[in-house]
Amino acid sequence: MKSNSLHIAATDDTPEVNFSLVSGKSSILGRSLPENAYEFYRPIISWLNSNIHLIKHKNELELSFDYFNSSSSRYLFEMLNILERSPNRQLITVKWKVEKGDELMFEKAQELSSLLDLNFQIEQE
Amino acid sequence: MTTDTLKYYFDCWENFNSCFAYRAPFQERFTNAILALAEQNRDHQQQGLNRKASFMLVECFQNIIKHSESMEINDLTTSDGGMFSFKFLDSNFLINSINVIKNSDIEKLTAQIEQVNALDKEALKEHYMKHLQNNTLSEKGGAGLGLIELARKSGEKILYKFNHIDSDVSQFHQQITFKKESDTPADFTKFLEDNDSYYASMKDRHIFLQYKGDFTQKAILPILLLTEQRYNANLDEKEKTKRAKHIIIEILQNIVRVTKGEEEELQKPTLILGKHDDHLYVMAGNVVSESKKEILTEKLDYLLSLEDEELAELHRKTIKASIQFENKESTGLGLIQVVRSGIEKIKYKFYPLDNNKFLFAISIKF
């Protein structure tokens, strides 16, 4: 039986990933600079595609990155794109937390959010 | 700093399989970073060298830390605090270090090194055991054991010299040599002599890190750690360093790797990091074929012809289009990121080498 939640622990160059679409609390936190972003993100994207129908109530995806490399941004966009295509996308909030003064991550968060029709909250704290 | 700086060092290092140099200030926590950088190198993985090389690196670096900690802060200016470097040369391994010591310590240190250098293998072992039993720790906690161990592991004389700075302090230069074939006639004393001009050239050019070697994923985090240390606590510098670190990741993961191929065996990629007048500089170079030169020139010239907003738009479009690529195909996002990153347009140049190859050099200012 497929699990309805996903947990991947952080490593030196990949973030901690938690998806729980039933409880409505998911997060991707840390740094994302894997050598092979495809290998890291493909199983997550596949899990998300298979489980996106589980979104029935309010869902929050928290994002917070120290760094992410350009190939990670591509897969991050792909994940967010799956959320955007969900028929229940109005139930989803993407809360992107940026360290105060981290203009680079702020710019990147703004750039990705501008490409998607999702409820984004970019918070500098 | 221009791409010519990179070409200058590329020529200097022509005979080294790989090399690394880092200018003071040093911190204890760099030990693992420097070790990781050396160990991920293929040159390090030669049988008979790896464990000894790792041991000698740690011992030498920690010796510098111990000596630095015993100095007054005023003695250790950031520009004159010293340098730590290693080189792989054919199958040989050299560690050069420069650190500031008190003139009052010179006599004792000289006597310790001379004593160790005068002993053969068996006598060194005996000397080591005697020291271990007597446990006569110096004020710095070293007891000279580190020196004895270095001499035992390297099997070669410890080369050294002192450069007088003023009436209180001097620079202590040390070279530890490990020869794969202990009876090889190769003479490496010139590297101890060259170290003066090498250190001076790094200072004059405001360079704090140089590395030529393999760039596996394991090289990235140590380089980021060694870069982080160069910024002050104010936000502006932190932001610049963050941008520079981000681009170092892109350069190491995209430019160095994308351009690698059959040329890789000719010369390994190089990375130079500098800081001057509150600006950080990242320079990277790699050997490429003529066909790769043409592809890169076309892409870079196009990206450099775009205004900031056009580049941002291209970046957004490329991300959007990227999900149509099912697999690992390169999307070009990394190169766009690099071109967008500096506070002024990036500089790049191709330098002709032998056999229709070129050194591709890129320089970015933050």
Side-chain angles (χ1 to χ4, degrees):
Chain A
M1 196 174 80
K2 279 188 178 175
S3 165
N4 60 11
S5 65
L6 176 73
H7 172 74
I8 299 170
T11 68
D12 280 349
D13 55 12
T14 56
E16 179 189 333
V17 179
N18 283 301
F19 272 103
S20 179
L21 304 178
V22 176
S23 78
K25 285 276 180 192
S26 300
S27 59
I28 306 177
L29 312 168
R31 51 164 65 151
S32 181
L33 32 126
E35 185 170 21
N36 190 335
Y38 174 81
E39 236 168 55
F40 179 74
Y41 283 105
R42 186 48 54 195
I44 304 171
I45 287 169
S46 194
W47 183 92
L48 202 54
N49 266 323
S50 313
N51 291 279
I52 192 73
H53 64 278
L54 295 174
I55 297 181
K56 308 276 189 214
H57 309 285
K58 279 192 173 179
N59 256 264
E60 184 182 289
L61 170 63
E62 183 188 342
L63 300 176
S64 180
F65 293 100
D66 182 17
Y67 291 98
F68 59 89
N69 60 1
S70 57
S71 44
S72 296
S73 61
R74 163 187 175 179
Y75 295 106
L76 206 51
F77 175 71
E78 194 166 342
M79 279 190 280
L80 295 168
N81 188 254
I82 296 169
L83 299 181
E84 187 193 36
R85 285 188 278 111
S86 157
N88 290 328
R89 72 160 182 246
Q90 75 284 356
L91 297 172
I92 304 168
T93 302
V94 180
K95 201 173 264 185
W96 196 318
K97 292 183 178 169
V98 179
E99 192 190 348
K100 200 171 181 185
D102 190 348
E103 292 304 317
L104 183 65
M105 280 298 124
F106 187 70
E107 281 167 21
K108 283 178 174 287
Q110 278 192 317
E111 190 166 69
L112 272 184
S113 67
S114 74
L115 299 173
L116 293 148
D117 186 10
L118 274 172
N119 178 20
F120 266 91
Q121 292 176 7
I122 305 172
E123 298 172 358
Q124 278 192 298
E125 52 182 32
Chain B
M1 277 180 237
T2 67
T3 53
D4 288 350
T5 305
L6 191 122
K7 175 66 166 67
Y8 169 81
Y9 286 105
F10 179 85
D11 291 339
C12 289
W13 303 334
E14 197 184 354
N15 296 322
F16 302 150
N17 310 42
S18 43
C19 59
F20 165 84
Y22 189 79
R23 265 178 55 217
F26 305 116
Q27 291 179 14
E28 176 96 44
R29 67 192 181 109
F30 296 167
T31 312
N32 280 337
I34 292 172
L35 190 60
L37 209 49
E39 287 184 341
Q40 58 89 39
N41 241 297
R42 274 174 300 160
D43 298 303
H44 182 275
Q45 287 147 16
Q46 302 165 59
Q47 220 179 2
L49 173 61
N50 50 4
R51 290 191 61 201
K52 283 184 177 171
S54 298
F55 174 88
M56 293 190 289
L57 267 180
V58 171
E59 199 62 43
C60 285
F61 190 69
Q62 293 192 333
N63 270 347
I64 292 186
I65 303 279
K66 275 179 208 156
H67 282 288
S68 306
E69 280 171 355
S70 74
M71 302 293 294
E72 295 293 326
I73 294 296
N74 292 345
D75 297 330
L76 290 172
T77 65
T78 51
S79 59
D80 272 324
M83 179 176 81
F84 184 81
S85 67
F86 65 76
K87 307 170 184 72
F88 290 95
L89 183 63
D90 299 324
S91 295
N92 309 296
F93 181 60
L94 307 178
I95 304 170
N96 283 88
S97 59
I98 301 174
N99 61 289
V100 181
I101 66 161
K102 289 176 185 161
N103 288 341
S104 54
D105 287 338
I106 290 179
E107 198 178 330
K108 187 181 165 200
L109 186 56
T110 306
Q112 280 179 333
I113 298 175
E114 286 301 325
Q115 186 184 21
V116 162
N117 279 349
L119 301 175
D120 63 17
K121 198 177 167 185
E122 276 309 306
L124 268 173
K125 188 179 174 186
E126 210 174 297
H127 191 51
Y128 177 76
M129 297 307 284
K130 205 173 90 188
H131 261 255
L132 212 54
Q133 282 162 351
N134 290 344
N135 197 23
T136 50
L137 289 174
S138 72
E139 282 171 18
K140 297 175 197 90
L145 273 175
L147 277 176
I148 305 169
E149 270 293 71
L150 281 173
R152 286 184 71 197
K153 290 282 188 300
S154 88
E156 299 290 326
K157 304 271 179 248
I158 295 171
L159 302 180
Y160 69 101
K161 67 176 180 178
F162 297 97
N163 283 356
H164 183 81
I165 297 176
D166 59 31
S167 57
D168 295 322
V169 293
S170 293
Q171 269 180 354
F172 169 54
H173 291 239
Q174 180 184 260
Q175 180 171 305
I176 302 295
T177 312
F178 180 82
K179 293 180 181 173
K180 194 181 178 194
E181 308 289 341
S182 57
D183 54 352
T184 177
D187 180 8
F188 298 119
T189 50
K190 82 181 268 293
F191 294 109
L192 182 75
E193 296 309 319
D194 289 353
N195 224 24
D196 281 323
S197 55
Y198 190 67
Y199 180 50
S201 84
M202 275 182 84
K203 276 203 299 183
D204 292 347
R205 292 177 166 87
H206 311 283
I207 291 165
F208 66 85
L209 184 148
Q210 299 178 326
Y211 177 68
K212 169 187 175 179
D214 297 317
F215 283 93
T216 68
Q217 181 75 358
K218 286 179 183 162
I220 294 177
L221 294 177
I223 288 171
L224 294 186
L225 177 74
L226 294 168
T227 309
E228 256 165 30
Q229 197 264 335
R230 309 309 285 209
Y231 66 74
N232 300 323
N234 73 65
L235 276 180
D236 184 41
E237 286 228 357
K238 196 174 175 185
E239 180 60 24
K240 275 180 197 162
T241 311
K242 184 133 197 172
R243 284 178 189 274
K245 282 164 65 181
H246 207 92
I247 285 319
I248 291 169
I249 296 168
E250 293 303 328
I251 284 181
L252 298 189
Q253 291 191 324
N254 288 287
I255 296 189
V256 170
R257 289 187 197 160
V258 165
T259 55
K260 83 176 178 186
E262 71 280 9
E263 301 83 12
E264 190 185 10
E265 296 309 317
L266 204 63
Q267 284 290 334
K268 289 180 181 174
T270 52
L271 176 76
I272 294 177
L273 305 177
K275 189 180 174 207
H276 182 46
D277 284 346
D278 293 334
H279 291 290
L280 280 158
Y281 294 83
V282 177
M283 282 168 276
N286 205 3
V287 176
V288 297
S289 63
E290 185 146 21
S291 59
K292 282 181 183 164
K293 171 182 173 266
E294 281 168 16
I295 294 166
L296 274 168
T297 304
E298 194 183 332
K299 281 185 182 171
L300 283 167
D301 284 351
Y302 169 66
L303 294 176
L304 286 167
S305 73
L306 301 177
E307 297 298 329
D308 288 351
E309 191 37 51
E310 290 172 315
L311 270 172
E313 182 54 28
L314 179 64
H315 193 247
R316 286 192 287 270
K317 272 188 186 164
T318 311
I319 288 183
K320 269 193 137 170
S322 67
I323 53 171
Q324 290 157 18
F325 295 93
E326 179 44 34
N327 54 29
K328 301 174 247 178
E329 287 168 59
S330 169
T331 55
L333 275 173
L335 205 55
I336 302 173
Q337 198 102 287
V338 169
V339 171
R340 287 179 76 191
S341 62
I343 57 162
E344 53 189 50
K345 293 235 177 211
I346 64 158
K347 296 183 180 80
Y348 82 92
K349 196 168 171 179
F350 289 92
Y351 297 87
L353 306 170
D354 295 337
N355 307 320
N356 291 326
K357 304 287 184 199
F358 297 83
L359 170 67
F360 168 52
I362 189 164
S363 170
I364 309 164
K365 179 180 179 182
F366 294 91

